Amino acid sequence: MSDPFELGVLYRDHPALAAGTPLASLWSYESCVRTVRSRRSLGRPQPQEYWLHRSDPLLNTMLPGTHVSVVVNLADPWATGRSLPSSSLLPAVSVIGPFTWPQFLRVGRRVRAIGAVLPSVFSSDVFGVPAPALVNQIVPLADLWPREHVERLHAALSNRSLSGGLAVLRDALVARLDPVARIDTLERSAARLLAARGGSVPVDRLAAHYR
């Protein structure tokens, strides 16, 4: 029988932090024992949590997809590649383009990381590079943004909780979107909320939700 207090990695998706933005998801990884229990917050979208064994394929594989991601590693280095012998270290703040094949992933001994996933249509606005130029590429964010901005961002994230860091990362990414795109996203998100509640949402509550 395996040890019930075995140290693995906790994956969390944070839908409340992504609400009202064009981001597909915001997530976090952290070292955690298997006995973790979710804390509930009534009235808000709940984080999805999965405890992953160190040998779990979901922890050791980057799956192919069409999105563009930003991954910020706040602990021990990670490595990735087509195979274990060909793997190389990921930059501390990485932009991962759309991938057409799975990648091997090896996380560090101590795990603490956050990430944001964006639809590829926003790649040019946020990174100054269209998504096709990032296909099957992992590049340092400092190659796409001013290096001093990335260094300040990483320092700010290192001094916050994972959820607090995700809020900072979210705001940094959304701030680079065209204002029309931000307004359009907000309108569509508010419309979806109104439809889901059958129109029974007070205006002041709707405004507070997206403030």
Side-chain angles (χ1 to χ4, degrees):
M1 181 177 294
S2 60
D3 182 355
F5 297 99
E6 185 175 6
L7 185 65
V9 174
L10 180 68
Y11 165 85
R12 280 194 183 104
D13 181 57
H14 299 258
L17 290 174
T21 76
L23 303 180
S25 72
L26 291 165
W27 57 265
S28 62
Y29 268 176
E30 62 179 324
S31 298
C32 188
V33 295
R34 191 186 348 194
T35 53
V36 68
R37 292 292 182 266
S38 301
R39 289 193 294 269
R40 300 299 180 185
S41 175
L42 297 177
R44 304 192 70 187
Q46 297 300 318
Q48 294 186 15
E49 300 183 345
Y50 303 96
W51 186 90
L52 301 171
H53 191 277
R54 298 282 305 194
S55 63
D56 194 311
L58 290 176
L59 181 61
N60 295 297
T61 307
M62 289 173 49
L63 297 174
T66 61
H67 289 74
V68 178
S69 298
V70 178
V71 176
V72 182
N73 187 6
L74 301 167
D76 295 337
W78 294 7
T80 188
R82 291 294 298 272
S83 64
L84 180 60
S86 65
S87 63
S88 58
L89 293 179
L90 267 70
V93 188
S94 303
V95 176
I96 301 174
F99 263 79
T100 58
W101 56 70
Q103 291 279 103
F104 169 85
L105 176 66
R106 183 176 61 198
V107 299
R109 182 176 178 84
R110 186 172 65 94
V111 178
R112 190 169 185 268
I114 59 176
V117 182
L118 298 85
S120 57
V121 67
F122 296 114
S123 179
S124 292
D125 281 343
V126 175
F127 305 113
V129 176
L134 296 172
V135 170
N136 297 328
Q137 300 289 324
I138 300 176
V139 300
L141 181 59
D143 286 357
L144 306 176
W145 289 8
R147 180 171 297 275
E148 60 272 19
H149 292 183
V150 177
E151 291 174 351
R152 285 199 300 268
L153 176 63
H154 189 265
L157 300 179
S158 299
N159 295 323
R160 286 173 167 79
S161 66
L162 292 179
S163 59
L166 278 170
V168 172
L169 178 61
R170 173 200 63 196
D171 293 346
L173 296 171
V174 172
R176 290 180 170 259
L177 288 173
D178 182 272
V180 174
R182 293 203 298 270
I183 293 171
D184 179 59
T185 299
L186 179 60
E187 288 177 345
R188 286 186 283 111
S189 181
R192 286 195 297 270
L193 179 59
L194 285 167
R197 301 282 178 85
S200 59
V201 181
V203 172
D204 57 347
R205 185 173 177 183
L206 186 67
H209 186 80
Y210 293 106
R211 186 171 297 155

